[in-house]
Amino acid sequence: MNKWNKLYEVAKKYYPTESNYCGVMAVALALEVSFGAARSLLFKQDFRFDGEGSSLNGIRRTLEKEGKVVRTIYARGFIECALKGRRVATLEKSMRNTRGTYILLSKSHAITVIDGVVEDWTSAEYLKGRKPHTNLIGIIWKIEDQTS
């Protein structure tokens, strides 16, 4: 959760008019780059416009262009996986022991999980007793480095 907090503080300070930037956060966390670098990568390829969010295809293509392999391990109704739970709150519990980087996608949000830690405002740690995010997860990507 520490990584997300640092990116969030940068976003608030240097990009105060930005909104809907969960895709930028997902790219930054998966590539281990700054918020500004991830935002620029998405903007350069026309996958992001001020305050409008990023397309799923744009996030995926940006990660792949930067040398990552994006494997779909769950797609609701098409590909099932061993993780239990279909909502953000229940998936967080079932992913605690996972290793690697994952991006969970709902209808309106992208969430990054790194080595079992949810790096997002929807994590239980960040919410601290407030109502959890209840969106259904539609897709889960596992993000890996390309192997030569």
Side-chain angles (χ1 to χ4, degrees), residues 17-41:
T17 61
E18 271 285 16
S19 59
N20 301 316
Y21 49 75
C22 60
V24 175
M25 298 291 255
V27 169
L29 289 161
L31 295 177
E32 298 180 40
V33 299
S34 69
F35 181 89
R39 183 178 177 272
S40 292
L41 287 169

Side-chain angles (χ1 to χ4, degrees), residues 7 17 20 45 65 74 94 96 111 118 126 131 141:
L7 290 170
T17 61
N20 301 316
Q45 301 174 66
K65 187 173 184 217
Y74 171 73
S94 67
R96 282 194 183 130
I111 299 161
V118 175
Y126 187 80
K131 186 178 176 189
W141 291 335

Side-chain angles (χ1 to χ4, degrees), residues 106-123:
S106 72
K107 187 169 94 173
S108 61
H109 196 51
I111 299 161
T112 307
V113 178
I114 301 172
D115 292 334
V117 177
V118 175
E119 295 284 352
D120 192 71
W121 66 265
T122 60
S123 75

Side-chain angles (χ1 to χ4, degrees), residues 31-88:
L31 295 177
E32 298 180 40
V33 299
S34 69
F35 181 89
R39 183 178 177 272
S40 292
L41 287 169
L42 288 161
F43 264 99
K44 281 181 194 172
Q45 301 174 66
D46 290 333
F47 294 137
R48 178 165 178 79
F49 302 97
D50 279 325
E52 291 186 23
S54 307
S55 69
L56 299 185
N57 186 42
I59 295 168
R60 182 182 196 119
R61 287 179 54 195
T62 299
L63 292 170
E64 290 171 341
K65 187 173 184 217
E66 295 301 310
K68 297 293 183 182
V69 174
V70 180
R71 287 191 309 115
T72 302
I73 64 164
Y74 171 73
R76 191 173 58 234
F78 297 98
I79 302 169
E80 293 299 321
C81 68
L83 297 172
K84 290 184 172 53
R86 298 294 175 253
R87 296 190 184 275
V88 173

Side-chain angles (χ1 to χ4, degrees), residues 30-32 66-70 101 142-148:
L31 295 177
E32 298 180 40
E66 295 301 310
K68 297 293 183 182
V69 174
V70 180
T101 300
K142 181 163 176 52
I143 312 302
E144 301 170 313
D145 291 325
Q146 287 182 352
T147 53
S148 306

